[in-house]
Amino acid sequence: MTRPMTRREVPRGELWRSPHLPPLILFAVCSLFLFRLSLFAGWTFIGDADRLNSVLNTRFFEVLSLHQRGTIPAWSDQQFMGYSVVGLHWMLTTFSPVPYVLALLPTAGMLPALAAFSAVMLFLTLAATYWMLGAYSASPLARTVGAILFGLGSYTVHKLLQLDLSFAALTMMPVLMLLVRATRRATAARMFLALALSWAFVALYTVLQEIAYIAMLYSSYALYRSVRLRDGWPVMIGALAFICGVAIASSRILTVAVDIPDVARSSMDIPTAPFEVLRYFGDGLLGRNQDENDLVRGGAVNTHEGVQLLMSSAGAWAAILAGLLARSGAARGWGIGLFLVLSVAFVSWWRPFYDSVGRFESVSREFRVVVMNAVLMGVPLWLVCWGLARRTPSSPATSDDDLRTQETPELPAAVEDAPYFLLFAALGLAAIVIPEGHALLYYGFFRLDFLHSRLSVAISLPLVALATILVSRFLPARLDGAAVRWLGGGLAVAVGLWLLREAGAQAAVARFGVVLEELRPRRLITIETVRVMTSLLVVLAACAVLVLRGRVPHRTLAGGLLAGWIALEAISAADFRMNGPQTWGQSGPFAAQNYLNVPPGGFQVPTAEQRAVVRDRLEADTYRSVMLRSGKEYAALVEPHLAAFWNLRLVEGYSTGIPRRLQALPWQENTTSPHNLNLDDAHQPPWQLLAALNVKYMVTVDRSLWFNAAPGAGDTPMAVDNLTIRENPFPVAPRAFFTARITPAGNTPRLIGDDGTRPPPFDPPIADPRMHSVVEGLDAERVLSTAGTLDATFDGDRVTVRLSPLPEERFLVLNERYYAGWQAWTDGRPAEILPTNLAMRGVLVPAGTTLVEFQFVPFLATPAGILLLAGSIAATGVAWYGVRWAVRRTDSPARTPPAG
C-alpha cells in the first residue's frame, strides 16, 4: 500500500498549482492598484480629514518625540492646552510598534510608508475574509468575490482611508467569526486561546466603539451556533475568550474611560434618515460624494456616515436573493424580513398612502410601513419564493464525493448559518433606519451621541457571506477544462456588459443631465440609477438560470457573469472613491468632505530645520498660538494637523470631545462644539481671554502653511516671513507663574472678569491670572507673595519647576490644562494639584521649597494598571488550563448504539 505524501513531501511545483494562490495574487494586485498613486507615482495619500486630524497628527507627534527625546510621552501640549495621547479611543499610542518603525525612516518617507502599510492591511483583510468564506463555499472564485465585496465595501474603504493599525478591527472580524465557527469540544482549548489573543489585540489597538458592534456580531453568532448545534461549547468558549481578551486590554480601556468624564459630549440622539436605506442597493445612489449628494438631497446626507454597506449593487441584490431563494424556511423568512426592512424606503414616495391607512402615535411611520408591507408584500413574496426555492438545486453536501460533482450543492455551513446572517442583517438595518430599533441601540450605549449607523461594520460581513453563498450555487467546486472555458466565457461577458453599462450610464447623463427631474421629489443620480437597475437585471438573469434548472455549463456561465460583475463593480467603485478626480481636483483641502490625494511634492512633512524656524518665530516653547482659518477655503478643521505638523502649542483642537473645563470658558458662540474648539474668520478674537491662556500669536492659515509644498509643486513654498501673524495686544500670562491673589471658585467656577453671561460679550474683560486667580478646593481668599524666580522645564509628561526659596508660601500656577492623571511633588513630598482658573493647574508651594515636579501618569502606566495587565494574562492562562481540563473531563469512549 502506497504511503500518502505529507504536506512537507508535496513537490514544490504542486504548491504553485494551489487553487488559493490566484486569489491571493489578485488581492495583492488589487491592493497595489488602489494605492498606485502613492506607491508608484509619488503622490501623497491623505485620505479622510479625520485621518489627518486624528491619526496622522498623532503619528507626527510620536515620531517627532522619538527623534527629539527617544521616547513617546503620554501627554501632548499641542492642542487643548494639553491632552492625554494614551486616552484616545481610536488608537493606542506609545505602546504601538508603528511609530518606532516610522522613526527609522527619513522624514520624507513617513507618509509613503503609511500608505504602503494601509495597502498591506487591505491585503490582509481580503485574505482573512477569503479564509473565513471557505466554510460557505468550495469555489475559490465565489470566495474571492466575497472577499472583494467586504474588503472594498463602503464602510471598509472609509475606515481604510481614516485609520492605519486601528483598521485591524475589520481585518480581525472574519478571523473571529471563523474561530467561533470552528469551536467545539474537541477544539475548545486552542480556539479559546486563539479567540482570547485575537480579542486582546483588537481591544488594545483598534477603535473601541467599533469593537462594541463587532462584539454584537460575534456574541450573537456564538449563541446561534450553540442553539443550532445544541452544544454549549461555542457560546461558553466565545464568552470566556471575550472576557479574557478584554481583561488583557482593560488597562487601555480604563485609561480611555478616565478621559470620558473630562470631555463634553452631548446626549443627543443622532438618527439616520429612513431614505438612507436606499444606499443599501447602491452606495452612491444618493451621491458618490458630497457634491453629488448636494444635487440629490441638497446636502442632507453625510456620505461618510449613515448606511455604508456594499459598493456593488449586484452584491447587495445577491445577498437578498440568497435568502429569497433558500430552501430553508427560516432563511427564506428572514430574507423576506430583510426585504421588509429595506421597504422603509417606500415611505419617501408613497407617504400619503401609508399615512391614509391609519396613524398610531405610539409607533413611528417607519415601523408602520414595515408592518403594512409585511401584509401587502411579505405574504405574496413568501408564496412566490417558496415555489421558486423548490425548483432550485441546493441540497447540502453530505460527503466529499458530493463536493466533486458538478451539481455544486451548498456546504453544510451555508445551510446552517444563512438564517443567522439574514437575521442579523435585518435587525441591524432596523436598528439604523427604524426609530424604535435605533432607540434601543442608543439607550444601550447609555445615551452617548455616537453615530450608531456605524453598526454597518457588523452588518457588512453577513451580507458578504450571503452573496458568496448565492454565487457558489452557480459554480462547480472542482474545475475541469470545460468548466474553465464556460467560466472564462462568463467572466468575459461580464467585462463586456460592464463596459457597455458604463458607456450607457455616461450617455444617460449626457442626454438627461446629472439628475433625472422626473424622479422628483426624491431624485437619484442618473448614472447610479442606471447602475443599480442593470445590476438587478444581471442578478435576475443569473438567478433565472438557477431557478429554471439550467444545465451545468449554463449555470457556470451565469456564475462567471455574476462573479465578474460583482467584482468589477466593487473594484471600480472603490477606485473612484480613493482615486477619483474629486480626491485631487479640489479648490481646497477636503473640499465638499472629499478624500484627499496630493500630487507629487504638493504635501511634505516639515524637516527639523523647517519646524525650528516656525517654532522660533512663534516662540512655541514660551507661548501658545491660535490658527485663524477661512471656513470657505478649509472645509475641515486645521488645528490638529498644523499643531502636529509644525510642533506648535495651541489652545484650539479637535478630538473625541472638547474638555469640559475648556468649553466652560467665555468663548463666543459657534467657537466650540462637542468635539472641537477653533477660531475662524467669522469671529473676532477674544484677546483678553487668549492672553490669560498664554496665547501671544494668531496665525492666518494659508496653503503654504497647510501643505508645505516643495518648490515648483504648484503652491508657494512655506516661508515664515510670508505668514500673516498678529500679536496679542494684551500682556500674555506665561506658562508658569506665581499669582498674587487666590479666591475660592464657588459652585460655578469662572475666570475673574467673566460675569457668566452666555453668549459672552465680544471680548470679555478677563483679569490677568498673575494678579488674581480662582482656585477650586480653597477655603478662603488669600493674598500671597510673588517674589522670587522660577525656571520651568516642560518635557512632555514631565514638568520641573526650580524656585528660589522664600520663607513664606506661594501659589504656583501652570498655564496647562488640569487633568486628573497629573501628580505633583514639592521637594519630593506629594502635593495636591488644585483646578485653577477652570482649566489650569495650581499647587500651594510651602515655604522654603526649591523644586516642584509634575508628572502625568495614565492608568495604563500606574502600578494598578500594570498589575491588572499581568493578572489578566495570568487569569487567561488559568482559564486555558481549565478549558483543557474540562475537555479531557468530558472525554469518554464512543458509545455503540443499541442493536435494533
Short mmCIF file of all heavy atoms in Angstrom, two decimals, residues 577-618:
data_model
loop_
_atom_site.label_atom_id
_atom_site.label_comp_id
_atom_site.label_asym_id
_atom_site.label_seq_id
_atom_site.Cartn_x
_atom_site.Cartn_y
_atom_site.Cartn_z
N ARG A 577 -13.72 56.12 -5.39
CA ARG A 577 -13.73 56.78 -4.08
C ARG A 577 -12.31 57.14 -3.63
O ARG A 577 -12.10 58.22 -3.06
CB ARG A 577 -14.39 55.87 -3.04
CG ARG A 577 -14.42 56.48 -1.66
CD ARG A 577 -15.30 55.70 -0.73
NE ARG A 577 -16.71 55.83 -1.08
CZ ARG A 577 -17.71 55.40 -0.32
NH1 ARG A 577 -17.45 54.79 0.81
NH2 ARG A 577 -18.96 55.55 -0.71
N MET A 578 -11.35 56.29 -3.91
CA MET A 578 -9.99 56.51 -3.43
C MET A 578 -9.15 57.38 -4.36
O MET A 578 -8.29 58.12 -3.90
CB MET A 578 -9.29 55.17 -3.22
CG MET A 578 -9.90 54.33 -2.12
SD MET A 578 -9.11 52.71 -1.94
CE MET A 578 -7.47 53.21 -1.42
N ASN A 579 -9.42 57.29 -5.67
CA ASN A 579 -8.53 57.94 -6.63
C ASN A 579 -9.25 58.81 -7.65
O ASN A 579 -8.61 59.31 -8.59
CB ASN A 579 -7.70 56.89 -7.38
CG ASN A 579 -6.91 56.01 -6.45
OD1 ASN A 579 -6.13 56.49 -5.64
ND2 ASN A 579 -7.11 54.69 -6.55
N GLY A 580 -10.56 58.98 -7.53
CA GLY A 580 -11.31 59.76 -8.50
C GLY A 580 -10.89 61.22 -8.52
O GLY A 580 -10.18 61.71 -7.62
N PRO A 581 -11.32 61.96 -9.53
CA PRO A 581 -10.91 63.37 -9.66
C PRO A 581 -11.32 64.23 -8.48
O PRO A 581 -10.69 65.25 -8.21
CB PRO A 581 -11.59 63.82 -10.96
CG PRO A 581 -12.68 62.82 -11.21
CD PRO A 581 -12.20 61.53 -10.63
N GLN A 582 -12.37 63.83 -7.78
CA GLN A 582 -12.78 64.62 -6.62
C GLN A 582 -11.75 64.56 -5.49
O GLN A 582 -11.78 65.39 -4.58
CB GLN A 582 -14.15 64.14 -6.11
CG GLN A 582 -14.14 62.86 -5.29
CD GLN A 582 -14.02 61.62 -6.16
OE1 GLN A 582 -14.03 61.69 -7.37
NE2 GLN A 582 -13.90 60.47 -5.53
N THR A 583 -10.81 63.60 -5.54
CA THR A 583 -9.80 63.49 -4.48
C THR A 583 -8.57 64.36 -4.75
O THR A 583 -7.78 64.56 -3.84
CB THR A 583 -9.34 62.03 -4.30
OG1 THR A 583 -8.60 61.61 -5.47
CG2 THR A 583 -10.52 61.10 -4.09
N TRP A 584 -8.42 64.84 -5.95
CA TRP A 584 -7.24 65.67 -6.24
C TRP A 584 -7.57 66.97 -6.97
O TRP A 584 -6.76 67.88 -6.97
CB TRP A 584 -6.21 64.88 -7.05
CG TRP A 584 -6.74 64.03 -8.17
CD1 TRP A 584 -7.06 62.70 -8.10
CD2 TRP A 584 -7.03 64.42 -9.51
NE1 TRP A 584 -7.53 62.25 -9.32
CE2 TRP A 584 -7.51 63.28 -10.21
CE3 TRP A 584 -6.93 65.62 -10.21
CZ2 TRP A 584 -7.89 63.31 -11.54
CZ3 TRP A 584 -7.31 65.66 -11.54
CH2 TRP A 584 -7.77 64.51 -12.20
N GLY A 585 -8.74 67.08 -7.56
CA GLY A 585 -9.10 68.33 -8.23
C GLY A 585 -9.91 69.22 -7.32
O GLY A 585 -11.01 69.64 -7.68
N GLN A 586 -9.40 69.55 -6.14
CA GLN A 586 -10.16 70.29 -5.14
C GLN A 586 -9.71 71.74 -5.07
O GLN A 586 -8.52 72.05 -5.23
CB GLN A 586 -9.99 69.64 -3.76
CG GLN A 586 -10.45 68.19 -3.70
CD GLN A 586 -10.24 67.56 -2.33
OE1 GLN A 586 -9.86 68.23 -1.38
NE2 GLN A 586 -10.48 66.26 -2.24
N SER A 587 -10.67 72.61 -4.80
CA SER A 587 -10.34 74.03 -4.63
C SER A 587 -9.59 74.27 -3.34
O SER A 587 -8.81 75.23 -3.22
CB SER A 587 -11.62 74.86 -4.65
OG SER A 587 -12.50 74.46 -3.61
N GLY A 588 -9.81 73.42 -2.35
CA GLY A 588 -9.12 73.50 -1.07
C GLY A 588 -9.10 72.13 -0.46
O GLY A 588 -9.83 71.23 -0.89
N PRO A 589 -8.26 71.90 0.54
CA PRO A 589 -8.17 70.56 1.13
C PRO A 589 -9.50 70.09 1.70
O PRO A 589 -10.16 70.82 2.44
CB PRO A 589 -7.11 70.72 2.22
CG PRO A 589 -7.01 72.19 2.48
CD PRO A 589 -7.36 72.85 1.20
N PHE A 590 -9.89 68.89 1.30
CA PHE A 590 -11.12 68.23 1.78
C PHE A 590 -12.37 69.02 1.38
O PHE A 590 -13.38 69.00 2.09
CB PHE A 590 -11.10 68.03 3.29
CG PHE A 590 -9.90 67.29 3.79
CD1 PHE A 590 -8.95 67.91 4.59
CD2 PHE A 590 -9.69 65.97 3.43
CE1 PHE A 590 -7.84 67.24 5.04
CE2 PHE A 590 -8.57 65.29 3.87
CZ PHE A 590 -7.65 65.92 4.68
N ALA A 591 -12.32 69.70 0.24
CA ALA A 591 -13.49 70.41 -0.24
C ALA A 591 -14.64 69.44 -0.41
O ALA A 591 -14.47 68.32 -0.90
CB ALA A 591 -13.17 71.10 -1.57
N ALA A 592 -15.82 69.85 0.02
CA ALA A 592 -17.03 69.02 -0.04
C ALA A 592 -16.84 67.69 0.69
O ALA A 592 -17.47 66.69 0.34
CB ALA A 592 -17.44 68.77 -1.49
N GLN A 593 -15.99 67.68 1.71
CA GLN A 593 -15.74 66.49 2.53
C GLN A 593 -15.16 65.33 1.73
O GLN A 593 -15.25 64.17 2.16
CB GLN A 593 -17.03 66.03 3.23
CG GLN A 593 -17.62 67.05 4.18
CD GLN A 593 -18.84 66.53 4.91
OE1 GLN A 593 -19.13 65.34 4.92
NE2 GLN A 593 -19.56 67.42 5.54
N ASN A 594 -14.56 65.59 0.60
CA ASN A 594 -13.97 64.53 -0.19
C ASN A 594 -12.66 64.06 0.42
O ASN A 594 -11.99 64.79 1.16
CB ASN A 594 -13.71 65.01 -1.63
CG ASN A 594 -14.99 65.13 -2.44
OD1 ASN A 594 -15.81 64.23 -2.43
ND2 ASN A 594 -15.19 66.25 -3.12
N TYR A 595 -12.28 62.83 0.07
CA TYR A 595 -10.97 62.33 0.45
C TYR A 595 -9.91 63.10 -0.33
O TYR A 595 -10.21 63.77 -1.33
CB TYR A 595 -10.86 60.84 0.16
CG TYR A 595 -11.93 60.02 0.85
CD1 TYR A 595 -12.83 59.25 0.10
CD2 TYR A 595 -12.05 60.01 2.23
CE1 TYR A 595 -13.81 58.50 0.72
CE2 TYR A 595 -13.04 59.26 2.85
CZ TYR A 595 -13.92 58.50 2.09
OH TYR A 595 -14.89 57.77 2.71
N LEU A 596 -8.67 62.97 0.10
CA LEU A 596 -7.63 63.82 -0.48
C LEU A 596 -6.40 63.02 -0.89
O LEU A 596 -5.86 62.23 -0.11
CB LEU A 596 -7.22 64.90 0.54
CG LEU A 596 -6.14 65.89 0.09
CD1 LEU A 596 -6.61 66.69 -1.12
CD2 LEU A 596 -5.77 66.83 1.24
N ASN A 597 -5.98 63.19 -2.13
CA ASN A 597 -4.68 62.78 -2.64
C ASN A 597 -3.97 64.03 -3.14
O ASN A 597 -4.59 64.88 -3.78
CB ASN A 597 -4.82 61.78 -3.80
CG ASN A 597 -5.19 60.39 -3.32
OD1 ASN A 597 -4.48 59.80 -2.52
ND2 ASN A 597 -6.30 59.85 -3.82
N VAL A 598 -2.68 64.14 -2.85
CA VAL A 598 -1.93 65.33 -3.23
C VAL A 598 -0.87 64.94 -4.25
O VAL A 598 -0.13 63.96 -4.04
CB VAL A 598 -1.27 65.98 -2.00
CG1 VAL A 598 -0.56 67.26 -2.41
CG2 VAL A 598 -2.32 66.28 -0.94
N PRO A 599 -0.78 65.68 -5.38
CA PRO A 599 0.23 65.35 -6.40
C PRO A 599 1.65 65.42 -5.84
O PRO A 599 1.88 65.99 -4.76
CB PRO A 599 -0.01 66.43 -7.47
CG PRO A 599 -1.41 66.88 -7.26
CD PRO A 599 -1.66 66.78 -5.79
N PRO A 600 2.60 64.84 -6.57
CA PRO A 600 3.99 64.79 -6.07
C PRO A 600 4.52 66.16 -5.65
O PRO A 600 4.37 67.15 -6.37
CB PRO A 600 4.76 64.24 -7.28
CG PRO A 600 3.76 63.43 -8.03
CD PRO A 600 2.46 64.15 -7.86
N GLY A 601 5.13 66.19 -4.47
CA GLY A 601 5.72 67.41 -3.96
C GLY A 601 4.75 68.40 -3.37
O GLY A 601 5.16 69.42 -2.79
N GLY A 602 3.45 68.12 -3.47
CA GLY A 602 2.45 69.08 -3.00
C GLY A 602 2.23 69.09 -1.51
O GLY A 602 1.63 70.04 -0.98
N PHE A 603 2.67 68.05 -0.81
CA PHE A 603 2.47 67.96 0.64
C PHE A 603 3.70 67.28 1.22
O PHE A 603 4.00 66.13 0.90
CB PHE A 603 1.21 67.13 0.94
CG PHE A 603 0.83 67.07 2.39
CD1 PHE A 603 -0.07 67.97 2.93
CD2 PHE A 603 1.38 66.12 3.23
CE1 PHE A 603 -0.44 67.91 4.27
CE2 PHE A 603 1.02 66.05 4.56
CZ PHE A 603 0.11 66.95 5.09
N GLN A 604 4.42 67.99 2.07
CA GLN A 604 5.66 67.45 2.61
C GLN A 604 5.71 67.62 4.12
O GLN A 604 5.40 68.71 4.64
CB GLN A 604 6.87 68.15 2.00
CG GLN A 604 7.04 67.92 0.51
CD GLN A 604 8.37 68.44 0.01
OE1 GLN A 604 9.15 67.72 -0.59
NE2 GLN A 604 8.65 69.70 0.26
N VAL A 605 6.10 66.57 4.82
CA VAL A 605 6.31 66.67 6.25
C VAL A 605 7.49 67.60 6.49
O VAL A 605 8.56 67.41 5.89
CB VAL A 605 6.59 65.28 6.86
CG1 VAL A 605 6.80 65.40 8.37
CG2 VAL A 605 5.45 64.34 6.57
N PRO A 606 7.35 68.62 7.33
CA PRO A 606 8.46 69.56 7.55
C PRO A 606 9.71 68.86 8.10
O PRO A 606 9.62 67.91 8.88
CB PRO A 606 7.89 70.55 8.56
CG PRO A 606 6.41 70.43 8.45
CD PRO A 606 6.16 69.00 8.09
N THR A 607 10.83 69.36 7.68
CA THR A 607 12.09 68.89 8.24
C THR A 607 12.28 69.51 9.63
O THR A 607 11.56 70.44 10.01
CB THR A 607 13.26 69.26 7.35
OG1 THR A 607 13.35 70.71 7.29
CG2 THR A 607 13.08 68.71 5.94
N ALA A 608 13.25 69.00 10.37
CA ALA A 608 13.53 69.55 11.69
C ALA A 608 13.90 71.03 11.60
O ALA A 608 13.52 71.84 12.45
CB ALA A 608 14.66 68.75 12.35
N GLU A 609 14.64 71.40 10.55
CA GLU A 609 15.03 72.79 10.38
C GLU A 609 13.82 73.68 10.10
O GLU A 609 13.71 74.80 10.63
CB GLU A 609 16.05 72.91 9.23
CG GLU A 609 17.40 72.26 9.51
CD GLU A 609 17.35 70.74 9.42
OE1 GLU A 609 16.36 70.20 8.85
OE2 GLU A 609 18.28 70.08 9.92
N GLN A 610 12.90 73.20 9.25
CA GLN A 610 11.71 73.99 8.95
C GLN A 610 10.86 74.19 10.20
O GLN A 610 10.35 75.28 10.46
CB GLN A 610 10.89 73.30 7.86
CG GLN A 610 11.48 73.37 6.47
CD GLN A 610 10.64 72.61 5.47
OE1 GLN A 610 10.27 71.46 5.68
NE2 GLN A 610 10.33 73.26 4.35
N ARG A 611 10.71 73.15 10.98
CA ARG A 611 9.94 73.27 12.22
C ARG A 611 10.59 74.27 13.16
O ARG A 611 9.90 75.07 13.81
CB ARG A 611 9.81 71.90 12.90
CG ARG A 611 8.77 70.98 12.32
CD ARG A 611 8.44 69.87 13.31
NE ARG A 611 7.45 68.96 12.78
CZ ARG A 611 7.73 67.79 12.22
NH1 ARG A 611 8.99 67.41 12.13
NH2 ARG A 611 6.78 67.02 11.77
N ALA A 612 11.89 74.20 13.27
CA ALA A 612 12.60 75.08 14.19
C ALA A 612 12.38 76.54 13.83
O ALA A 612 12.18 77.40 14.71
CB ALA A 612 14.09 74.74 14.19
N VAL A 613 12.37 76.87 12.52
CA VAL A 613 12.17 78.25 12.09
C VAL A 613 10.79 78.74 12.49
O VAL A 613 10.62 79.85 13.03
CB VAL A 613 12.38 78.36 10.57
CG1 VAL A 613 11.95 79.74 10.08
CG2 VAL A 613 13.83 78.10 10.19
N VAL A 614 9.76 77.92 12.25
CA VAL A 614 8.39 78.31 12.59
C VAL A 614 8.21 78.42 14.09
O VAL A 614 7.61 79.37 14.61
CB VAL A 614 7.38 77.31 11.98
CG1 VAL A 614 5.96 77.63 12.43
CG2 VAL A 614 7.46 77.33 10.46
N ARG A 615 8.75 77.46 14.83
CA ARG A 615 8.62 77.48 16.28
C ARG A 615 9.32 78.70 16.87
O ARG A 615 8.81 79.33 17.81
CB ARG A 615 9.18 76.20 16.89
CG ARG A 615 8.28 74.99 16.71
CD ARG A 615 8.94 73.73 17.29
NE ARG A 615 9.34 73.90 18.68
CZ ARG A 615 8.51 73.80 19.72
NH1 ARG A 615 7.23 73.51 19.51
NH2 ARG A 615 8.96 73.98 20.95
N ASP A 616 10.48 79.05 16.35
CA ASP A 616 11.19 80.21 16.87
C ASP A 616 10.41 81.50 16.61
O ASP A 616 10.34 82.38 17.48
CB ASP A 616 12.57 80.31 16.23
CG ASP A 616 13.53 79.25 16.74
OD1 ASP A 616 13.21 78.62 17.77
OD2 ASP A 616 14.57 79.02 16.10
N ARG A 617 9.81 81.58 15.42
CA ARG A 617 9.05 82.79 15.12
C ARG A 617 7.86 82.94 16.03
O ARG A 617 7.50 84.06 16.44
CB ARG A 617 8.60 82.75 13.64
CG ARG A 617 7.66 83.88 13.24
CD ARG A 617 8.33 85.23 13.38
NE ARG A 617 7.43 86.32 13.05
CZ ARG A 617 6.58 86.90 13.91
NH1 ARG A 617 6.52 86.47 15.18
NH2 ARG A 617 5.80 87.90 13.52
N LEU A 618 7.22 81.84 16.37
CA LEU A 618 6.02 81.87 17.22
C LEU A 618 6.34 81.65 18.69
O LEU A 618 5.42 81.57 19.51
CB LEU A 618 5.01 80.82 16.74
CG LEU A 618 4.48 81.02 15.32
CD1 LEU A 618 3.51 79.91 14.95
CD2 LEU A 618 3.80 82.38 15.16
#
